Amino acid sequence: MGIETSDDAGVYRLNDEQAMVMTVDFITPPVDDPFLFGQIAAANSLSDVYAMGGKPLACMNLVGFPSDKLGMDILDGIIAGALHKITEAGAVLVGGHTVEDEEPKFGLSVTGMVHPEKIWRNVGAQPGDQLILTKPLGSGVLFNANLKQWVSQEALQECLEHLVVLNKTAAEVASGFEIHAATDITGFGLAGHCLNMARGSGVTLKITVADLPVMREALEMYVKGMSTGANLANRRKVEKYTRYEKTLTRFQQELTLDPQTSGGLLFSVAGTQAESLLTALHLAGVTSAKIIGSVLPSMENIALHFA
């Protein structure tokens, strides 16, 4: 599997029992704390392996660092945070590469394994499926608003707690159910990643905005006038194929376009198993997971319907 359907990772079959899952990602710091930055960046990078149904095995650091401006203790903190999450994932850190850069950047190249017959793709959703999202939306606007000190410490702390959570448990729980398609929600926002799933599967996704899990104060930040640098580009990507009901406010629409860092997994699961999967996720501690919509037969020129 390569780039044909914008899947979350590449997959290379080794034999009838094993396939390698390969991905790479890095981000700029959403927070000042080095250890926390490393945790978020690592969770973000590892997520793509989980989105393919795989298990991370080995990671390599990717570092851009202004050594003339920041001390090595900062870099040590970033890598320590990443190693904490890599170890939690059951993977190992085997090396990496560092270059001089004007601002810090950090991420991972991750190699994992998956059975060739158990790969999840972002295509394959079927009419009758239900859609489950495992993490709340809103990290993009909250981080921008925090720069202006608009966000309460309580809301920011809750946001960060969501971002450092690995998608490991959600993926392990879902592996016992009939998952027809899966992806993780990152920079293109919920709408962008849903568009890839809908068009690649030849279906229409209907999403109930009132059912979306949303981070505390995220909608409030849009109402106050905050946005992100990615929202407009994300809207342009999806608007040709998307219908927003007139009852939805502009601010509710913006939440569907909000770029996520270390976002949740989106599952298209057989409709008869959706409630059971949701219950299993909640029992396993993935308490933010919600059923957010359903999969319909393809509607002409409408891949996404937000109601």
Side-chain angles (χ1 to χ4, degrees), residues 77-134:
I78 295 171
I79 294 175
L83 183 58
H84 179 77
K85 285 294 158 181
I86 292 168
T87 303
E88 183 183 334
V92 294
L93 180 63
V94 296
H97 188 65
T98 306
V99 296
E100 288 285 338
D101 203 341
E102 292 184 359
E103 65 172 335
K105 298 180 180 69
F106 182 80
L108 300 173
S109 169
V110 186
T111 300
M113 297 293 289
V114 67
H115 192 288
E117 295 179 1
K118 297 181 180 179
I119 299 168
W120 292 335
R121 301 197 64 184
N122 65 352
V123 298
Q126 301 176 17
D129 284 0
Q130 297 285 296
L131 302 170
I132 292 180
L133 180 62
T134 65

Side-chain angles (χ1 to χ4, degrees), residues 15 18-19 21-22 89 100 108 114 119 123 143 161 165 196 274:
N15 51 54
Q18 297 174 310
V21 185
M22 296 162 287
E100 288 285 338
L108 300 173
V114 67
I119 299 168
V123 298
F143 282 138
E161 288 173 359
V165 172
N196 287 338

Side-chain angles (χ1 to χ4, degrees), residues 214-276:
V214 179
M215 294 184 187
R216 189 198 297 197
E217 297 183 15
L219 182 60
E220 178 184 334
M221 294 302 110
Y222 278 115
V223 173
K224 288 185 67 172
M226 183 55 61
S227 188
T228 79
N231 276 61
L232 181 57
N234 287 348
R235 181 179 290 276
R236 287 173 175 166
K237 173 182 172 65
V238 305
E239 59 186 354
K240 181 179 178 181
Y241 309 99
T242 302
R243 174 194 293 171
Y244 287 102
E245 288 294 335
K246 294 180 181 179
T247 53
L248 298 176
T249 67
R250 177 83 176 189
F251 312 118
Q252 288 174 307
Q253 294 181 27
E254 292 300 317
L255 268 176
T256 72
L257 305 165
D258 191 89
Q260 304 304 288
T261 300
S262 187
L265 297 178
L266 176 69
F267 297 119
S268 182
V269 58
T272 56
Q273 298 187 16
E275 290 291 347
S276 296

Side-chain angles (χ1 to χ4, degrees), residues 11-34:
V11 182
Y12 186 89
R13 181 194 291 265
L14 297 176
N15 51 54
D16 290 342
E17 301 293 326
Q18 297 174 310
M20 288 193 305
V21 185
M22 296 162 287
T23 185
V24 60
D25 202 349
F26 60 90
I27 60 173
T28 54
V31 292
D32 291 331
D33 183 273

Side-chain angles (χ1 to χ4, degrees), residues 1 4-5 7 51-52 119-124 180-183 197:
M1 294 178 186
E4 295 81 10
T5 60
D7 253 311
M52 303 296 291
I119 299 168
W120 292 335
R121 301 197 64 184
N122 65 352
V123 298
H180 294 148
T183 190
M197 182 178 289

